[in-house]
Amino acid sequence: MFKTKISGVGSFLPEKVLTNFDLEKMVETSHDWIVQRTGIERRHVIADGEGTSDMIVRAAQKALEDAKMSVDQIDLIIVATLSGDFKMPATACVVQAKLGAKNVMAFDLNAACSGFLYSLIVADQFIKTGFYKNILVVGAENLTRILDYKDRDTCILFGDGAGAFIVSRAEPNETNVILTGHAHAEGAHAELLWAPAGGTKVPFSQKVLDEGQHFMKMNGKEIFKNATRTMATCCKEALEATNMSADQIDWLVPHQANLRITEAVANQFKFPMDKVISTVHETGNTSAASIPIAFDMAYRDGRLKRGQTIMLTAFGAGLTSGSIILKF
């Protein structure tokens, strides 16, 4: 079995910004109320006329540059998203064409906010078994176009963006590799965070549109409890699988959903917040994109360095959850 290394990382955030003060003019809320409950101050909004694939291409190009690779070296493209360009084809296929990647496998994966971790775990299997050598793994979301800006519970939380990793087969003597990965789902709790209509079970209709049943619905209190529980459980699982203690982790990069959730998870492991990467104040919740965006931002500003041991953890609609420990 081969081992998997992170060869390069990149991210993209749209130029347009939606602040809490902007939201005050759109829905009954306030900057202070949002910050107190979520830690979010602003979020980025995709440019008019662009789609999820356009953000992905920019993030992927940065990751390829960081890895010192050309697109011709990529064997597979995995796009984690719940907000792709089209119902079909897969956004990964659109990205393949825009990047000019020839003769590659390409597919989308939807595990909501856990999607990037799910995709990284899937990519790790392709590398381990020798099936592929270099894989582009992307988390990207275009959520501002599918939010109900009359629903304060959801519209204050989410933003747009994309983050990308190039994962590759490590040389036999390399130690900076993915050490362990774990993923779970609890479908019994699916209705805590879902879009009840707009799929094939309850297709789009005038009634669906009039009632807003195609928009995201969330039970915030229950999601908070389950998010804290599942991410803490996944972190513990990863530490046990590697026989590591929390103090051996240089950085925790959690899904950027809510600063209060991050603080609750860190507290369970006595993780000081100065060892936790938090970008939620700048990006809001970018779902599947949040971990690779936060990772890349911390890498670019010098906090995350090669050779460090890093834990990733996420939860999302489904309910899905996961964790990874890697040496970067």
Side-chain angles (χ1 to χ4, degrees), residues 129-272:
T129 56
F131 207 90
Y132 289 127
K133 192 171 182 180
N134 297 301
I135 302 173
L136 169 62
V137 182
V138 183
E141 300 290 8
N142 175 3
L143 296 173
T144 59
R145 290 203 181 126
I146 58 173
L147 290 174
D148 180 0
Y149 281 94
K150 296 177 182 178
D151 178 9
R152 184 179 66 173
D153 290 342
T154 58
C155 75
I156 66 169
L157 298 175
F158 297 96
D160 304 328
F165 279 14
I166 307 294
V167 299
S168 305
R169 182 189 301 173
E171 297 299 325
N173 60 340
E174 288 189 78
T175 56
N176 293 341
V177 296
I178 292 177
L179 301 176
T180 191
H182 310 270
H184 305 281
E186 295 178 301
H189 301 303
E191 293 182 15
L192 293 178
L193 178 56
W194 71 325
T200 58
K201 183 175 181 180
V202 184
F204 275 110
S205 66
Q206 191 60 53
K207 183 174 183 290
V208 165
L209 293 172
D210 290 344
E211 296 178 356
Q213 290 301 306
H214 58 299
F215 288 126
M216 188 187 309
K217 311 294 181 185
M218 182 178 70
N219 182 326
K221 184 177 180 180
E222 290 301 314
I223 283 294
F224 188 102
K225 289 194 299 187
N226 279 280
T228 303
R229 174 183 61 82
T230 57
M231 286 206 293
T233 298
C234 288
C235 288
K236 181 180 179 182
E237 183 178 23
L239 290 170
E240 289 177 349
T242 52
N243 292 313
M244 298 178 74
S245 60
D247 59 9
Q248 292 175 277
I249 303 296
D250 293 303
W251 292 102
L252 173 66
V253 186
H255 167 48
Q256 307 292 308
N258 180 316
L259 183 59
R260 308 304 162 225
I261 294 173
T262 298
E263 290 172 339
V265 173
N267 185 58
Q268 290 205 33
F269 293 93
K270 296 185 171 50
F271 248 114

Side-chain angles (χ1 to χ4, degrees), residues 1-5 121-132 168-174 177-179:
M1 297 282 280
F2 297 100
K3 292 184 179 180
T4 305
K5 66 179 180 180
I121 289 169
V122 170
D124 185 35
Q125 312 313 306
F126 277 109
I127 298 291
K128 280 180 174 177
T129 56
F131 207 90
Y132 289 127
S168 305
R169 182 189 301 173
E171 297 299 325
N173 60 340
E174 288 189 78
V177 296
I178 292 177
L179 301 176

